[in-house]
Amino acid sequence: MYPNRLKILFVLIALLHLALVGRLAQLQLVQGGKYSGLSKKRLIKEHTLSARRGSIYDRHGRPLALEEASFDVEVRYKNLLYSYYASRSAKDESNELPPDLSKIKAHKRRDTACQECHPYDDLWVERVSRLLDLKPDELLARAEVAVKRVESIKKNVQRGRKRRVRIQEELASLPIAKNISVEKAAELETRLEQYPGVSLVARPKRYYPNGELACHLLGSLGKLSEAEWQKIKGLRVESSDSRLSLYYSTLSKDTLVGRGGLEAQYDVELQGRPGKRIEEIVLKTLKVDKVIFDMPPQAGHDLFLTLDLDVQRLAESALSGLGDKNGSIVVMDTETGEILALASCPGFDLNTFNLDYTRLASDPRKPLLNRPLQAALPPGSTFKPITALSALAGGEIAPSTQFYCGGKLMIGDRFRHCTSTHYQMRLEEAMEHSCNIYFYETAKRLEGVNLENKARAFGLGEKTGIDLPFEGAGLVPVTRSLGERLNLSIGQGELLTTPLQMTRMMATVANGGKLVSPHLLRKVVSLEEDLPWESASGGSRKKGTVSISPEHLKVLRNALRRVVINGTARGKGLDVLEVAGKTGTSQTGTKGVYHAWFLGYMPYNNPRYCLCVVVEETTGHGGEVAAPVAQQLAQGLLHRDTAQLTAKRDTGIEGR
Ligand SMILES: [Zn+2]
Ligand SMILES: [Zn+2]
């Protein structure tokens, strides 16, 4: 309908309009005369000016959550009433007026509907009808609904006060068409003088341009519950943090706040501060005489994430390519803890989240679960690097230590089994082929709580502190018997870990002992400043180190590289993509059903990305089910690096 640039101009005009007249709460009208100096011909009108909520972008500035305007057409009540009378008179149905209205003397009613006195009062019907392609009868029907509602409120008020009153709705404009298109809104806005009695109202609406993409980590908006509202009213007084108490003071019962995800985690940054305007109105014309008080709203701050939309998209499509399997993917920078992708399958559409909520909440696949940080699962053999490092550090085994795998081993009073018969093996080979017997033999030598302490040193059993709500802590059990220690050594038993925890564990191996803080926020951007993640709120900044001897690290990394070349993840194309890693096939409690894991990093000789793939409740092994997904990811990450190298060569700017 319009050329693109004109369209953009219209949107800008519309947004300007939003900033100027956007109203959050309903009008508050105070009858003139209550305040000194005001005549009975005037009244005070107070507007709350809603603040623009901050937007959320990926690391390259591509939008993930935006504040859009939704436009409503409103018509002054006076005009609605006039058209209602006029249409009734024309059809000679004045006897069908509501009882209260029909009591008004007939000549007065005729006067109100008189074309000579009110030549333009009815014009809105024809004009709005043409603008919105709606039949005049439809608009008149909406006018009738509005008039009958207002008149019935008025009747109740009058009955209570036992006198005739004017209620605030009579002085206001009422919505006659909601959520009209931006084009129609722009057309109306630019020709408003041709629409007597009509006004355009812009309301903020959260929009997620990618629909389902990254839904779990973005979260959505909703109103506070009554209990939350009561709590916040208390916090307003109690909070000693001035920034927080300012935030609490901006909230009202109707404020949309973040519900889950980053929208909730960074609501303080995103929310902004509403403004207020108080106007003095001439009662007869409803025109603003003067502005008594004007405090403009302050827009919320924008978030730039560490997330890379391309990697996220790749991760999600790789997971949904598995059919109806539930799963997780984490891609993290091994040095900084920046999350490049955090995918949870199945997902949901953010734009219809509130409508779909009941269905989603009762879905047996639990689409609302943010699996990478909330699904606590046994990690299976992806835990074996910890067992190896623990035994190497304690001197229970050396890199050259050999054990014999005969396919099964009697320990205590029962046989424990391996996946195959591996014969004589050293640590690197045992890791390569994921031999359980080797790790059982190792665990027999491990004493007391060393292994579980090592697991905790790698951050298992506690939240990673990622800047997202409702993270799970998993569980590192206290082992009291040899049997429990044997289970732990192969990542089974009571041990529960989230994919995110395991990603951080593997990053520690990849970066040589730094326990990074996984995070999604890169920076908070406002008019005044760019605040990097380190200085912003949300999530933990706790950093730690795990002491690993360079010699042991070398042995382990060699072993992890062998896994993709000739071990449990061989033949999946991971070797040519310079990946190193470990497969896992953990028990679910149901025979023949497993959680399939692949946990690794790349490039193996200069690690940059850590990746974790988990496919829940599948019949295949980690190498069969999770490794091919990891291959798709690694392929994409390699392309990303190549593209960035090209960009750096062409522009001199380095991406990351
Ligand atoms: Zn007249
Ligand atoms: Zn074996």
Side-chain angles (χ1 to χ4, degrees):
M1 191 169 182
Y2 298 103
N4 260 340
R5 292 184 61 177
L6 201 57
K7 225 181 214 175
I8 291 166
L9 180 69
F10 281 158
V11 174
L12 288 178
I13 292 169
L15 287 175
L16 190 67
H17 190 77
L18 169 74
L20 289 175
V21 302
R23 287 174 297 176
L24 192 70
Q26 60 177 359
L27 307 179
Q28 291 181 16
L29 295 173
V30 183
Q31 198 73 44
K34 268 190 187 169
Y35 295 94
S36 57
L38 285 174
S39 81
K40 287 194 169 135
K41 301 267 162 67
R42 285 155 186 261
L43 53 87
I44 301 291
K45 198 157 127 185
E46 186 179 319
H47 305 276
T48 300
L49 308 171
S50 61
R52 185 186 73 86
R53 186 176 177 85
S55 299
I56 306 179
Y57 302 95
D58 89 332
R59 66 187 298 119
H60 300 303
R62 290 170 291 191
L64 300 170
L66 294 172
E67 197 75 340
E68 284 216 329
S70 105
F71 299 99
D72 296 351
V73 176
E74 291 190 349
V75 178
R76 239 157 54 178
Y77 185 70
K78 198 184 107 188
N79 297 66
L80 294 178
L81 190 63
Y82 175 85
S83 303
Y84 175 64
Y85 280 139
S87 71
R88 286 295 171 192
S89 303
K91 293 180 192 164
D92 197 23
E93 288 171 341
S94 46
N95 55 342
E96 285 178 24
L97 291 172
D100 190 52
L101 286 183
S102 60
K103 276 183 209 147
I104 302 173
K105 285 175 185 163
H107 70 83
K108 193 170 180 195
R109 210 162 62 223
R110 267 199 308 279
D111 179 56
T112 313
C114 169
Q115 281 288 344
E116 279 169 46
C117 301
H118 307 272
Y120 303 120
D121 279 12
D122 210 14
L123 203 54
W124 71 270
V125 179
E126 180 204 323
R127 296 273 156 95
V128 172
S129 153
R130 200 181 304 157
L131 175 74
L132 300 180
D133 290 326
L134 285 169
K135 288 204 172 73
D137 280 351
E138 169 62 25
L139 290 173
L140 287 170
R142 292 181 191 183
E144 180 176 346
V145 171
V147 168
K148 285 186 171 163
R149 189 178 65 85
V150 171
E151 292 304 324
S152 105
I153 296 171
K154 185 174 172 171
K155 206 172 107 186
N156 282 332
V157 174
Q158 288 183 156
R159 192 187 293 145
R161 299 204 189 154
K162 297 197 168 73
R163 62 181 175 87
R164 292 197 65 81
V165 295
R166 216 208 279 247
I167 62 169
Q168 64 180 32
E169 278 83 354
E170 291 178 276
L171 303 172
S173 291
L174 301 177
I176 207 74
K178 290 192 171 181
N179 210 3
I180 67 168
S181 72
V182 173
E183 288 83 3
K184 302 280 186 198
E187 194 176 330
L188 175 58
E189 176 70 10
T190 46
R191 296 189 184 81
L192 209 53
E193 74 285 352
Q194 296 172 15
Y195 294 82
V198 177
S199 51
L200 180 70
V201 177
R203 299 177 197 284
K205 187 179 80 176
R206 199 61 161 171
Y207 175 62
Y208 302 92
N210 307 296
E212 193 165 316
L213 203 76
C215 53
H216 298 90
L217 63 96
L218 288 172
S220 62
L221 301 187
K223 284 186 184 173
L224 294 163
S225 70
E226 184 58 36
E228 288 167 322
W229 171 235
Q230 293 303 331
K231 195 176 155 203
I232 279 170
K233 282 204 287 189
L235 287 171
R236 278 178 174 183
V237 188
E238 285 165 23
S239 179
S240 55
D241 183 333
S242 63
R243 210 173 64 104
L244 274 181
S245 54
L246 180 66
Y247 163 70
Y248 291 132
S249 73
T250 64
L251 298 182
S252 73
K253 205 175 165 346
D254 293 317
T255 310
L256 290 175
V257 296
R259 316 293 315 194
L262 294 164
E263 294 273 30
Q265 184 81 32
Y266 291 106
D267 201 53
V268 177
E269 282 76 10
L270 290 164
Q271 191 65 250
R273 199 196 65 197
K276 187 186 272 190
R277 179 185 301 150
I278 303 177
E279 295 163 342
E280 199 179 305
I281 309 279
V282 178
L283 199 52
K284 190 165 183 188
T285 60
L286 289 182
K287 293 240 163 76
V288 177
D289 187 44
K290 61 182 170 197
V291 175
I292 300 170
F293 178 82
D294 196 15
M295 182 179 75
Q298 273 182 14
H301 300 171
D302 295 330
L303 305 184
F304 282 76
L305 305 185
T306 61
L307 200 79
D308 186 320
L309 200 55
D310 297 327
V311 185
Q312 179 72 18
R313 194 171 275 137
L314 177 64
E316 291 191 16
S317 73
L319 279 180
S320 51
L322 296 169
D324 58 353
K325 292 283 172 251
N326 301 342
S328 298
I329 286 179
V330 184
V331 180
M332 187 176 82
D333 186 304
T334 51
E335 291 293 325
T336 62
E338 291 190 348
I339 301 285
L340 294 160
L342 193 74
S344 184
C345 184
F348 49 87
D349 189 335
L350 285 169
N351 293 312
T352 55
F353 174 74
N354 288 324
L355 294 171
D356 300 341
Y357 181 79
T358 313
R359 176 177 60 79
L360 293 168
S362 59
D363 188 328
R365 286 185 68 193
K366 296 192 167 61
L368 298 179
L369 201 64
N370 193 359
R371 297 188 137 78
L373 49 139
Q374 292 176 333
L377 308 165
S381 299
T382 57
F383 182 83
K384 284 174 180 168
I386 295 181
T387 308
L389 288 175
S390 178
L392 287 170
E396 286 88 6
I397 60 168
S400 58
T401 303
Q402 298 198 11
F403 291 116
Y404 179 80
C405 167
K408 59 182 179 180
L409 179 67
M410 178 70 94
I411 301 176
D413 57 355
R414 72 178 181 103
F415 274 113
R416 292 194 175 243
H417 295 267
C418 198
T419 52
S420 177
T421 305
H422 294 108
Y423 308 107
Q424 204 72 17
M425 294 211 135
R426 290 181 304 122
L427 176 62
E428 282 188 30
E429 292 149 352
M431 193 70 80
E432 180 182 331
H433 299 289
S434 206
C435 173
N436 285 344
I437 303 295
Y438 189 96
F439 285 89
Y440 288 145
E441 292 284 7
T442 303
K444 275 162 69 181
R445 298 185 177 196
L446 283 170
E447 277 181 33
V449 292
N450 285 349
L451 182 55
E452 62 206 57
N453 283 349
K454 187 62 91 179
R456 291 198 184 92
F458 275 96
L460 303 186
E462 63 171 22
K463 298 177 182 185
T464 68
I466 190 174
D467 44 355
L468 281 175
F470 314 122
E471 183 185 8
L475 175 74
V476 176
V478 177
T479 54
R480 292 186 190 82
S481 66
L482 175 62
E484 287 174 351
R485 206 147 61 237
L486 293 175
N487 287 339
L488 182 60
S489 74
I490 60 159
Q492 288 291 162
E494 289 171 49
L495 177 68
L496 293 173
T497 61
T498 65
L500 184 64
Q501 286 175 326
M502 293 307 282
T503 308
R504 180 168 70 157
M505 182 280 277
M506 192 52 103
T508 311
V509 172
N511 66 31
K514 267 192 292 179
L515 204 59
V516 297
S517 297
H519 58 280
L520 276 157
L521 178 71
R522 200 174 193 203
K523 57 182 177 179
V524 180
V525 175
S526 63
L527 281 176
E528 300 84 42
E529 57 179 355
D530 285 13
L531 203 62
W533 164 73
E534 288 81 1
S535 334
S537 74
S540 149
R541 305 291 176 285
K542 192 177 61 185
K543 282 179 184 156
T545 50
V546 186
S547 155
I548 313 172
S549 101
E551 187 209 349
H552 299 160
L553 203 57
K554 198 175 161 206
V555 171
L556 177 59
R557 286 176 177 170
N558 270 339
L560 295 175
R561 177 66 182 150
R562 290 172 69 149
V563 168
V564 306
I565 296 172
N566 197 33
T568 51
R570 70 180 171 277
K572 304 298 178 204
L574 287 166
D575 49 347
V576 292
L577 295 169
E578 305 194 7
V579 176
K582 183 76 195 77
T583 59
T585 308
S586 66
Q587 290 161 15
T588 59
T590 307
K591 198 172 159 56
V593 179
Y594 314 101
H595 302 308
W597 290 72
F598 183 86
L599 179 64
Y601 54 85
M602 69 180 280
Y604 70 92
N605 54 3
N606 182 23
R608 184 168 169 201
Y609 305 114
C610 203
L611 35 124
C612 178
V613 176
V614 183
V615 182
E616 295 174 23
E617 297 181 340
T618 169
T619 49
H621 290 200
E624 297 160 359
V625 179
V629 176
Q631 191 274 342
Q632 291 178 49
L633 273 179
Q635 184 89 53
L637 290 169
L638 196 70
H639 279 154
R640 179 178 190 265
D641 281 355
T642 315
Q644 288 188 352
L645 279 177
T646 312
K648 189 192 172 190
R649 197 189 59 214
D650 295 347
T651 63
I653 299 166
E654 186 166 14
R656 178 130 185 126

